[in-house]
Amino acid sequence: GNHDPEAEGLAVKFLGITACKKFSWECAGKKFIALHGHRFDHLCFIFDEPLVDQLFLYATRFFKRFPSLGGWINQFHNGFSRQIAMKAAKYARKLGKDVVICGHTHQSAHMTFERKGKTVEYWNCGDWMEFLTMDESGNIQEHALPVYCAIAA
């Protein structure tokens, strides 16, 4: 995930699993690839600097307080997310994959892209509160963790 280098990320520290940049497999005659979408974002390197990352986070939160600016940010993010999805599907098609599971945008999505007679499915679970499962037939489903809220009386 974001800010989760392979050797020192949360997956390694808390779950004890090995993380990798991309993972490919086959199931039920379909070819899959899972990867983080930062490779399709040419500006993400600026967020490697913690100060820039924090400034961006605070600025986004500030602008979302104003409905007209918050709407503009959401529109921008929707367009950005679609661009990442299109680039991920193009990459998967180039590698001969049928399905790409990709993160980075924190926006859940399921899209199908077709070009030159080749269809590629794109999946993004969104964030850590949502996840994808795949059955033995290669069918993917999106799920959300239940969120429980306690209201003080």
Side-chain angles (χ1 to χ4, degrees):
N2 282 359
H3 318 289
D4 202 15
E6 292 85 31
E8 57 198 55
L10 293 175
V12 173
K13 289 180 182 176
F14 292 112
L15 301 176
I17 61 173
T18 302
C20 55
K21 291 183 185 243
K22 64 182 175 182
F23 184 75
S24 295
W25 72 98
E26 288 189 36
C27 180
K30 293 182 188 175
K31 296 178 182 178
F32 295 81
I33 186 167
L35 50 93
H36 193 276
H38 68 281
R39 70 176 59 215
F40 309 116
D41 178 359
H42 300 296
L43 294 178
C44 74
F45 71 91
I46 64 174
F47 297 105
D48 289 342
E49 178 57 46
L51 179 60
V52 173
D53 197 26
Q54 285 299 310
L55 286 173
F56 180 78
L57 178 65
Y58 291 132
T60 301
R61 286 181 182 161
F62 175 78
F63 288 127
K64 283 189 174 186
R65 292 181 183 182
F66 304 97
S68 60
L69 292 174
W72 177 83
I73 289 172
N74 288 337
Q75 263 186 331
F76 174 80
H77 187 250
N78 289 342
F80 169 76
S81 297
R82 178 140 178 94
Q83 288 297 315
I84 296 295
M86 290 169 58
K87 290 176 182 179
K90 181 178 179 180
Y91 179 75
R93 185 181 303 107
K94 179 179 162 186
L95 296 178
K97 306 299 182 186
D98 303 300
V99 181
V100 59
I101 300 169
C102 181
H104 188 62
T105 64
H106 298 260
Q107 186 174 49
S108 64
H110 175 223
M111 300 178 210
T112 303
F113 296 95
E114 188 172 341
R115 185 168 183 207
K116 298 181 182 177
K118 174 72 174 155
T119 300
V120 174
E121 270 189 88
Y122 169 87
W123 287 87
N124 185 334
C125 67
D127 58 32
W128 66 277
M129 293 296 291
E130 301 162 312
F131 61 96
L132 303 174
T133 60
M134 185 176 78
D135 66 19
E136 61 277 350
S137 298
N139 299 312
I140 297 175
Q141 288 186 322
E142 185 178 0
H143 308 274
L145 292 174
V147 178
Y148 298 99
C149 298
I151 301 174

